[in-house]
Amino acid sequence: MASGDDRRTQGLTIGVDVGGTKVAAGVVDGAGTVLHAVRRPTPGHSAPEVADTIAAVVAELTADYEVWAVGIGAAGWIDAERSRVVFAPNLAWRDEPLRDEVAARVGLPVVVENDANAMAWAEYRFGAGRGRRDLVCLTVGTGIGGGLILGGELYRGAFGIGAEAGHMRVVPGGHPCGCGNEGCWEQYASGRALVRLARQIAADDPAAATAMLEASGGDVDGLTGPDVTEAARKGDPAAIRCLMEVGHWLGEGMASLAALLDPDRYVIGGGVSDAGDLLLAPARERFLEAVPGRGHRPVAEVVIAELGSQAGLVGAADLARI
């Protein structure tokens, strides 16, 4: 392993991406290359068990690689010191000292970062955001995660929990959200929104949702986002309509972000982005319709993320060097 300051660019670090269903980890070099990766289910909603699982995957990786730090991308709000998970809507983290809990188990320096921030940093350094100094990254999965690169720096906010774009309120009194509010953006432009709409259509008019129901084995309540995408790719009008609706709301929110931040590129990742232009075409269309000053200003590009499911762990590993 490199020594001294060189290790910050050349040494190996481990990135861990912790979500509601999986813990993914990998050994990453200074060029953002994943040398080896492992994956385990997230163990229920017990904070100590999650820390134990993170320690276990780190131990598995350090058995074959010498690393000098661990970066954790966590699906929650992280404090400014990158040490505690203040709140996690989908895990049992409430003011959880995750950095210290994991460091005590693994015996290595540890930093904790919001998972969408980690994704944004990875795309900025190694992916679709290379060369862009003002970048908005959105992970469109179960909800919407946001990460901002402003002036070439990762923006965290005064208390460490900035860029939570999915919790902008777009419909007062709208659908309830796990954050405690109602009408948040992610309730209308996410995988959760896609599935809710598809299930509603399938329940109200099964004949209009034939392809979606075929993909789910005829089970309305079992319909998933990938089922909708599969049906849309086959030309199913109801599935296409669902993705158009979600894309419309995605573009609506991006227009609001343009008014505030004026980025030069949006990078869209997360599971729902697998739908490609079935999602992005209506998102781009609505973005161009709704952006303030349309027709009289330059507008940002909207592109798909390049690093896929490994972006979170790559970004977390790279941020462990900073």
Side-chain angles (χ1 to χ4, degrees):
M1 185 177 75
S3 60
D5 291 341
D6 288 345
R7 70 184 184 175
R8 293 194 174 274
T9 55
Q10 301 301 326
L12 303 181
T13 55
I14 289 175
V16 185
D17 184 12
V18 184
T21 60
K22 59 91 177 72
V23 176
V27 178
V28 183
D29 67 16
T33 302
V34 179
L35 304 181
H36 186 71
V38 296
R39 181 185 177 113
R40 295 190 183 183
T42 303
H45 293 280
S46 164
E49 288 182 3
V50 173
D52 288 341
T53 299
I54 295 171
V57 295
V58 170
E60 182 176 343
L61 292 169
T62 54
D64 295 317
Y65 294 90
E66 186 178 1
V67 305
W68 68 275
V70 176
I72 301 171
W77 300 352
I78 314 301
D79 70 356
E81 286 72 39
R82 300 196 294 163
S83 64
R84 306 179 76 88
V85 184
V86 177
F87 174 75
N90 299 309
L91 287 166
W93 283 329
R94 302 292 185 271
D95 199 29
E96 176 68 21
L98 185 61
R99 179 190 66 187
D100 294 345
E101 291 290 341
V102 173
R105 288 165 167 81
V106 304
L108 289 167
V110 175
V111 298
V112 181
E113 188 60 76
N114 172 265
D115 59 344
N117 284 355
M119 174 265 190
W121 186 255
E123 292 291 341
Y124 167 67
R125 290 268 286 137
F126 309 113
R130 288 188 304 271
R132 306 287 175 146
R133 292 182 57 79
D134 293 282
L135 184 71
V136 172
C137 288
L138 300 169
T139 56
V140 186
T142 302
I144 295 179
L148 305 178
I149 306 296
L150 302 179
E153 300 288 339
L154 179 62
Y155 179 79
R156 296 185 177 91
F159 304 107
I161 55 177
E164 288 290 343
H167 296 289
M168 298 188 303
R169 296 182 70 194
V170 296
V171 181
H175 295 298
C177 183
C179 75
N181 281 330
E182 296 176 339
C184 291
W185 186 26
E186 69 174 38
Q187 296 303 318
Y188 299 87
S190 67
R192 182 182 290 111
L194 180 67
V195 168
R196 183 179 61 241
L197 182 59
R199 290 177 180 175
Q200 179 181 332
I201 292 172
D204 293 346
D205 187 1
T210 302
M212 290 193 294
L213 288 170
E214 285 177 355
S216 69
D219 181 8
V220 172
D221 292 333
L223 263 174
T224 66
D227 293 336
V228 180
T229 298
E230 178 185 339
R233 286 177 176 149
K234 293 177 179 178
D236 178 67
I240 292 171
R241 176 180 142 204
C242 290
L243 283 163
M244 287 183 66
E245 175 78 6
V246 170
H248 174 95
W249 278 107
L250 185 61
E252 188 79 26
M254 289 193 300
S256 294
L257 288 172
L260 181 66
L261 300 170
D262 191 31
D264 64 354
R265 178 169 286 189
Y266 293 87
V267 176
I268 312 298
V272 182
S273 72
D274 290 343
D277 278 343
L278 288 166
L279 174 74
L280 288 200
R284 291 186 183 108
E285 180 179 359
R286 182 55 188 160
F287 171 63
L288 292 174
E289 290 172 348
V291 68
R294 54 194 172 276
H296 303 284
R297 59 176 287 171
V299 292
E301 297 176 275
V302 182
V303 302
I304 289 286
E306 292 181 3
L307 300 182
S309 62
Q310 292 189 322
L313 72 86
V314 170
D318 201 57
L319 287 165
R321 298 184 171 90
I322 298 174

